[in-house]
């Protein structure tokens, strides 16, 4: 009664309190009568002799991933009703369901209070606060908070129990909940009028006419993929043209009367094979592609960033060509020739000799035969091991076979192409049906691409030979991430968003692996962040573990001594190479979206923008010398005026990867040029009772110490996944009549949504969003 009289101390009419009143929900979906139908159905499936055991309560009400939290909720609801059994009937479950889905905030608050107040005395002690913090942290997979339960419990008691009574009451909890700032408050400060206008314009269009819906979808697809479309159409047209040309040519030759359409199909496929075997080398000429996209305007019409995807498409074209060529010869041409009459064979004598072949072995033992068979076998091995199931070890194979898969197997099998190309030239020279040298055109197709690729490999070999780097710092972070800080080779220049290839001879003398550069061009060092997933990265990490003491690695950041530096095997680097993210300088406004380790190329951009902020501040304060200022004034002005960075990760430990960068931005970016948003998806969304205490604790700790309890940085972490439509709306409202560069690096699942939003907002607002997908 005493507590209830003090409820009016909190003004519930304020906007922050109004938002909080919608929170503290135990069930966020399918509440009320409609939801009860599903719960009742699950009860019938899980009940034992008409009773639902406590262990199945979470599954029954839809809390599958929070069984411990659901167990505590069960105990709280049972205590309130005086139930002592560990099982409940359907009618008792109905009472539980009605209470936890009650739309009244006071009812939800009392239920939450009961979860903490285990002896029902109306008071919460510090020990009980510890238990509920540990429970909430466990439900949200926040291991770092679990390690500091005592510290955070003391913080809450200090805030809510200023008179040191040793307990807090219901009204204290209500006050904390209603006064805690909303997670999404920073996205609600835009102009209300403009925001409402945008909301009205951005209502999703619902076309009942399937033709109109299909046309609109096709229009979006063409707008987004027009570069890929014209390149694919050109490639398919060339392949079709070559096939048709050779098909018609052989249809008018004498051999057609013996072998029929089999020989025309085989020769048409052979012509496309020559073209594709030459073309497939071009997408992997990295230096050439980097030069073309950086120094020419071809990047406006050619999707250079899809080079590896195009390489794979051509590989499919080669596989189809091989199938048609070999299949037509082996199953049709050769049998027809073997069974031809003497009269039919007469025109074939100039090509196959006066004596007709006796059997299949005659064709196989010839140069044309054995070279073709060996090529098909080598291509099949390379093509198979390049598939994601083998390359990423996704298949559960026996240990013996597992050693023959993985990235190493992919890398080495791909280099069988050297043998394949030699055999391809030999096979193309010793032809049955072409005896004149100028009609043996295989070498003509291959000459330029092979020469270009050979030069590429020579350049890489010579360049990497003098680009040996020293390891300066090593960091091992949660999530199997190894961060390396290296010396920058003299004259090494790069742009944020680019990547380098790294070689460690101690792991493999021949393998080179690509990693995004996470340092900024202005830094006096190079840094990369490596997630140890495959065999090569795991071996690299183990090498550092052998050199650096275990305790030093456990400290996360190890600054190496000269002795340790000398003991660590040397790394070679090759690059830098172009990537979509390097085009960020073309935009005044940036929207950067990274998922997990995909944030690495975007961190380099953030650091570059931050370095520019520092430089401008030093010039304004007169710290930089006049000569430096004059020199700087001759440079092209830094284009980026505003950057929004959204980093989404499922693990709390991931925030340690770039903690230093986050804190630097918070310290130096006084004008708010960079807006950082960290999202931890393991934490339940705002308003969920399972994350309510974490939200309260986060608010208190950030207000008192200026640090976020989830990320450990000055940047406050949001919970669950971002509402991307709200994010785009936030940017569109602030930057009308401007072009925004949207750069995304992460798993492909989010690509489609971000592309559609970029197109939708560009079409319906005055803000133009240009979407770029970084290879991941």
């Amino acid at each position: 009664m005493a507590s209830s009289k003090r409820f009016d101390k909190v003004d519930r009419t304020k906007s922050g309190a109004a938002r909080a009143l919608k929170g503290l929900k135990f069930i966020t979906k399918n509440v009320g009568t409609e939801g009860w139908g599903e719960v009742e159905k699950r009860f019938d499936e899980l009940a034992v002799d008409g009773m639902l055991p406590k262990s199945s309560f979470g599954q029954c009400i839809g809390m599958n991933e929070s069984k411990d939290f659901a167990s505590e909720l069960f105990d709280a609801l049972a205590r309130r009703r005086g139930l002592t059994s560990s099982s409940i009937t359907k009618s008792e479950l109905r009472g539980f369901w009605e209470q936890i889905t009650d739309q009244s905030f006071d009812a939800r608050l009392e239920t939450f209070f009961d979860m903490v107040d285990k002896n029902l005395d109306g008071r919460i002690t510090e020990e009980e606060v510890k238990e509920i913090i540990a429970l909430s942290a466990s439900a949200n997979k926040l291991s770092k908070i679990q390690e500091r339960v005592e510290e955070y419990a003391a913080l809450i008691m200090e805030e809510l129990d200023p008179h040191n009574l040793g307990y807090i009451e219901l009204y204290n909890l209500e006050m904390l909940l209603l006064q805690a700032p909303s997670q999404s408050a920073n996205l609600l400060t835009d102009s209300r009028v403009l925001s409402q206008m945008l909301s009205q314009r951005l209502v999703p269009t619902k076309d009942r006419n399937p033709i109109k819906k299909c046309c609109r979808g096709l229009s979006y697809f063409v707008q987004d993929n027009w570069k890929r479309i014209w390149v694919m159409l050109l490639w398919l047209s060339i392949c079709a043209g070559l096939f048709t040309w050779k098909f018609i040519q052989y249809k008018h030759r004498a051999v057609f009367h013996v072998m029929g359409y089999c020989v025309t199909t085989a020769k048409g496929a052979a012509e496309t094979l020559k073209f594709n075997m030459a073309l497939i080398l071009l997408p992997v000429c990295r230096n050439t592609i980097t030069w073309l996209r950086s120094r020419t305007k071809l990047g406006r019409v050619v999707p250079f960033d899809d080079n590896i995807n195009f390489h794979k498409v051509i590989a499919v074209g080669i596989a189809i060509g091989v199938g048609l060529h070999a299949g037509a010869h082996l199953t049709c041409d050769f049998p027809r020739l073997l069974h031809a009459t003497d009269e039919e064979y007469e025109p074939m004598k100039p090509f196959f000799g006066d004596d007709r072949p006796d059997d299949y072995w005659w064709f196989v033992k010839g140069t044309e035969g054995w070279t073709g068979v060996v090529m098909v076998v080598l291509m099949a091995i390379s093509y198979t091991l390049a598939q994601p199931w083998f390359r990423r070890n996704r298949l559960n194979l026996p240990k013996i076979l597992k050693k023959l898969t993985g990235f190493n197997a992919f890398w080495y099998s791909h280099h069988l192409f050297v043998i394949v190309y030699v055999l391809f030239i030999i096979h193309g020279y010793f032809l049955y049906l072409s005896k004149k040298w100028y009609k043996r055109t295989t070498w003509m197709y291959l000459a330029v691409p092979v020469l270009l690729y050979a030069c590429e490999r020579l350049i890489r070999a010579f360049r990497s030979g003098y680009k040996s780097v020293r390891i300066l710092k090593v960091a091992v972070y949660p999530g199997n991430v190894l961060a390396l800080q290296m010396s920058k080779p003299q004259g090494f220049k790069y742009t944020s968003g680019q990547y380098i290839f790294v070689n460690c001879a101690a792991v493999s003398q021949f393998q080179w692996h690509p990693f995004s550069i996470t340092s900024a061009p202005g830094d006096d060092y190079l840094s990369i962040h490596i997630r140890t997933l495959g065999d090569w990265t795991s071996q690299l990490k183990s090498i550092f573990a052998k050199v650096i003491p275990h305790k030093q690695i456990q400290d996360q950041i190890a600054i190496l001594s000269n002795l340790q530096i000398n003991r660590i095997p040397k790394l070679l680097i090759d690059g830098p190479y172009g990537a979509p993210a390097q085009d960020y300088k073309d935009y005044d406004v940036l929207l950067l979206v990274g998922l997990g380790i995909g944030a690495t190329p975007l961190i380099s951009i953030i650091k570059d923008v931050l370095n520019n902020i520092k430089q401008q501040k030093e010039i304004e304060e007169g710290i930089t010398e006049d000569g430096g200022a004059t020199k700087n004034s001759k440079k092209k002005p830094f284009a980026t005026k505003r950057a929004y960075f959204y980093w989404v990760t499922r693990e709390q430990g991931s925030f340690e990867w770039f903690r230093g960068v986050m804190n630097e931005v918070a310290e130096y970016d006084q004008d708010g040029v960079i807006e950082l948003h960290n999202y931890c998806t393991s934490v339940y969304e705002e308003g969920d009772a399972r994350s309510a205490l974490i939200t309260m604790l986060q608010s208190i700790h950030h207000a008192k110490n200026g640090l976020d309890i989830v990320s450990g940085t000055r940047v406050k972490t949001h919970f669950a996944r971002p509402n991307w439509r709200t994010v785009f709306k936030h940017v569109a409202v602030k930057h009308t009549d401007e072009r925004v560069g949207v750069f995304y690096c992460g798993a492909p699942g989010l690509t489609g949504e971000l592309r559609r939003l970029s197109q939708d907002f560009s079409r319906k607002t005055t803000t133009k969003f240009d979407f770029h997908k970084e290879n991941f």
Side-chain angles (χ1 to χ4, degrees), residues 283-391:
V284 290
C285 292
R286 296 193 294 262
N287 289 293
T288 304
I289 288 175
T290 300
W291 184 84
L292 288 172
R293 79 183 308 283
S294 303
R295 302 294 180 87
T296 70
K297 295 182 179 180
L298 283 175
R300 296 179 181 180
V301 293
V302 179
F304 287 118
D305 300 321
D306 287 324
N307 60 319
I308 299 301
N309 290 330
F310 190 48
H311 177 80
K312 294 175 182 177
V313 169
I314 299 169
V316 173
I318 289 174
I320 294 171
V322 168
L324 289 173
H325 181 74
H329 273 325
L330 296 174
T331 64
C332 190
D333 284 345
F334 298 160
R336 284 196 175 194
L337 192 63
L338 290 171
H339 295 92
T341 63
D342 292 338
E343 185 180 352
E344 290 174 333
Y345 184 74
E346 188 66 29
M348 300 293 102
K349 289 182 177 180
F351 308 113
F352 296 97
D354 293 336
D355 297 327
R356 183 170 46 194
D358 298 326
D359 50 28
Y360 252 70
W361 179 244
W362 188 92
F363 296 104
V364 175
K365 70 180 181 181
T367 305
E368 303 91 331
W370 71 263
T371 54
V373 171
V374 174
M375 275 194 295
V376 170
V377 171
L378 294 180
M379 283 181 172
I381 293 171
S382 180
Y383 191 85
T384 302
L385 295 179
Q387 300 308 307
W389 310 289
F390 295 97
R391 182 163 50 91

Side-chain angles (χ1 to χ4, degrees), residues 144-145 152 652 694 697-698 701-702 707-712:
K144 299 292 182 182
I145 293 179
Y152 292 142
Q652 181 188 11
I694 302 297
L697 186 57
Q698 182 191 46
H701 195 271
H702 197 276
L707 289 176
D708 180 65
I709 61 169
V710 178
S711 66

Side-chain angles (χ1 to χ4, degrees), residues 440-460:
R440 299 166 180 173
T441 56
T442 303
W443 67 273
M444 299 179 189
Y445 279 96
L446 297 179
V448 174
V450 168
L451 182 62
L452 179 63
Y453 185 77
C455 291
E456 280 269 340
R457 296 304 293 256
L458 287 173
I459 290 171
R460 291 184 212 171

Side-chain angles (χ1 to χ4, degrees), residues 347-564:
M348 300 293 102
K349 289 182 177 180
F351 308 113
F352 296 97
D354 293 336
D355 297 327
R356 183 170 46 194
D358 298 326
D359 50 28
Y360 252 70
W361 179 244
W362 188 92
F363 296 104
V364 175
K365 70 180 181 181
T367 305
E368 303 91 331
W370 71 263
T371 54
V373 171
V374 174
M375 275 194 295
V376 170
V377 171
L378 294 180
M379 283 181 172
I381 293 171
S382 180
Y383 191 85
T384 302
L385 295 179
Q387 300 308 307
W389 310 289
F390 295 97
R391 182 163 50 91
R392 298 183 179 179
N393 277 325
R394 290 178 180 173
L395 297 176
N396 292 323
L397 299 171
K399 287 186 178 180
I400 298 176
L401 294 178
K402 208 168 185 67
K403 292 180 180 180
L404 300 176
T405 62
F407 188 87
N408 285 344
F410 155 75
W411 196 89
Y412 287 113
S413 66
H414 242 57
H415 282 71
L416 293 173
F417 81 92
V418 177
I419 302 173
V420 170
Y421 273 94
V422 172
L423 294 176
F424 191 62
I425 293 172
I426 296 171
H427 184 81
Y429 185 80
F430 292 93
L431 295 176
Y432 291 119
L433 302 175
S434 296
K435 300 301 181 182
K436 297 178 181 178
W437 71 269
Y438 58 84
K439 289 186 177 181
R440 299 166 180 173
T441 56
T442 303
W443 67 273
M444 299 179 189
Y445 279 96
L446 297 179
V448 174
V450 168
L451 182 62
L452 179 63
Y453 185 77
C455 291
E456 280 269 340
R457 296 304 293 256
L458 287 173
I459 290 171
R460 291 184 212 171
F462 286 127
R463 187 167 59 184
S464 61
Y466 68 84
K467 284 188 178 177
S468 175
V469 294
R470 291 185 303 113
I471 305 299
L472 305 176
K473 291 183 182 179
V474 177
V476 178
Y477 294 117
N480 286 324
V481 170
L482 174 69
L484 301 179
Q485 194 175 108
M486 305 166 283
S487 60
K488 185 191 289 188
Q490 187 175 3
F492 186 85
K493 295 180 180 180
Y494 64 95
T495 301
S496 291
Q498 292 186 319
Y499 65 95
I500 56 174
F501 276 79
V502 177
N503 168 269
C504 179
V507 178
S508 173
Q509 191 171 358
F510 303 105
Q511 288 189 46
W512 292 80
H513 292 259
F515 299 101
S516 296
I517 303 172
T518 52
S519 55
D523 295 335
D524 56 359
Y525 60 86
L526 276 176
S527 67
I528 55 175
H529 285 65
I530 302 170
R531 187 152 202 174
T532 52
L533 293 174
D535 37 19
W536 188 89
T537 51
S538 298
Q539 290 177 49
L540 183 68
K541 183 181 177 181
S542 66
I543 286 176
F544 285 102
K546 290 177 183 176
V547 176
I548 304 169
H550 181 69
K551 184 180 182 302
Q552 197 174 354
I553 285 188
Q554 288 300 307
D555 293 336
Q556 288 186 353
I557 298 180
I559 301 176
L560 306 183
S561 64
N562 288 331
L563 179 62
Q564 288 173 326

